[in-house]
Amino acid sequence: IGALYLIYLAFRKYGIKVDRQFIFNTLPFVLLGSTVRVVTDSIDAGVMKPATFLHEFVINSRIYDYGFASSSPGIYIVTAALFLFALFIGREIKKPETTGWMGIALWLPHVFVLLFLVQYPIYAIPILLLAAIPSYIVFRHFKSRNSKSGAANSAPRPEVLAGIVGAHALDGAATFIVIDHFSGVGGRTYFEQHVLPSFIGGAFNSFFPFYLIKVGIAAAAAYFIASDKDSKEGEKMFICLVLMIIGLAPGIRDALRMMVGA
């Protein structure tokens, strides 16, 4: 929280506006960080195969072995550094969308590597559905609310608020599907390593309540952000971005890791 506050102060000092474009520029780097972790997981689990020259490079380079650049906490620092560099380039050439495209360019080779390893794509369908349904409901709610009120306030747009719920629904759904239904299918047993989610899953003998709690808390956060009349738009958007990252990063990693059986 302290680090996020310092980042927010730095953004204000250097005139960096957190808006929809900034969020779209950030998300490819979230995808990048999570995907790199799964590449590392696939090597550690022994499912990485030299299918192409790129796979051979990944295996032989040892860059993606568990180390500073590809595991916690180093991967957060490396990904953040790459994002800040891309952000600097975008600002220097006065084309902010360049930041997002640089993130996509870094992400796509890692997606290519994982595509050859996917073994269980069918299990991703319920995860995506469980993430999309509450996200769509929240989007429709805030879109209807804005049309009735005139939307002449500083509340984030409906798609941004829906993004918060979708991100945490994805994380909760991935945990639920992987542990309750996928564990054992690929010859591996999966478990929740965080204290509170583990307690919830153990208490109910299922992680579906954890999914519901995640969705409920995210929806409540979206509601309070939208209803806040005192905070500035930039502050709200920054909080929205942080909440999205917290949900998306582990959700994407868990879903991709399940798909490749790592």
Side-chain angles (χ1 to χ4, degrees):
I1 293 174
L4 290 170
Y5 181 67
L6 292 176
I7 291 171
Y8 176 72
L9 292 180
F11 283 179
R12 286 180 54 183
K13 179 179 179 180
Y14 293 101
I16 299 174
K17 184 180 180 181
V18 181
D19 52 14
R20 284 201 305 161
Q21 180 66 62
F22 187 90
I23 290 177
F24 292 146
N25 288 342
T26 306
L27 293 183
F29 289 88
V30 180
L31 292 169
L32 172 65
S34 297
T35 307
V36 168
R37 283 300 303 267
V38 178
V39 171
T40 299
D41 294 333
S42 67
I43 294 175
D44 183 63
V47 300
M48 175 71 71
K49 307 297 180 185
T52 68
F53 75 93
L54 190 56
H55 292 80
E56 291 184 4
F57 170 78
V58 168
I59 295 171
N60 296 330
S61 68
R62 307 302 296 271
I63 296 174
Y64 296 89
D65 292 1
Y66 270 101
F68 179 80
S70 58
S71 61
S72 302
I75 191 170
Y76 300 112
I77 298 173
V78 172
T79 305
L82 290 171
F83 170 72
L84 291 175
F85 174 75
L87 181 64
F88 172 78
I89 296 297
R91 284 172 62 84
E92 284 296 304
I93 65 176
K94 293 180 171 53
K95 291 185 177 181
E97 67 276 8
T98 303
T99 301
W101 286 113
M102 290 178 68
I104 292 173
L106 291 169
W107 173 59
L108 285 178
H110 297 91
V111 175
F112 177 80
V113 168
L114 292 183
L115 281 177
F116 283 82
L117 308 178
V118 172
Q119 303 178 64
Y120 310 101
I122 193 70
Y123 285 91
I125 295 176
I127 293 177
L128 294 176
L129 286 174
L130 288 170
I133 291 171
S135 179
Y136 179 73
I137 292 172
V138 169
F139 172 78
R140 295 298 303 178
H141 168 76
F142 284 109
K143 186 175 182 181
S144 174
R145 178 181 173 181
N146 286 356
S147 64
K148 292 177 181 178
S149 64
N153 54 42
S154 61
R157 292 176 64 91
E159 59 267 27
V160 175
L161 297 169
I164 296 173
V165 177
H168 285 273
L170 177 70
D171 184 25
T175 299
F176 163 56
I177 296 298
V178 171
I179 297 179
D180 281 27
H181 300 285
F182 181 74
S183 186
V185 172
R188 302 181 191 280
T189 300
Y190 296 87
F191 61 92
E192 174 59 60
Q193 60 181 342
H194 299 99
V195 177
L196 183 57
S198 180
F199 171 79
I200 295 171
F204 291 94
N205 199 31
S206 170
F207 279 87
F208 187 68
F210 171 66
Y211 161 76
L212 294 177
I213 291 171
K214 288 274 286 183
V215 171
I217 292 175
Y223 174 80
F224 284 118
I225 292 171
S227 302
D228 181 13
K229 305 296 184 182
D230 299 322
S231 301
K232 297 179 181 178
E233 183 178 3
E235 295 174 351
K236 293 182 180 181
M237 292 295 281
F238 183 78
I239 294 172
C240 287
L241 175 60
V242 170
L243 291 175
M244 276 190 255
I245 293 173
I246 292 172
L248 274 179
I252 293 169
R253 182 200 177 189
D254 291 348
L256 286 176
R257 183 173 182 175
M258 174 201 67
M259 290 172 65
V260 302

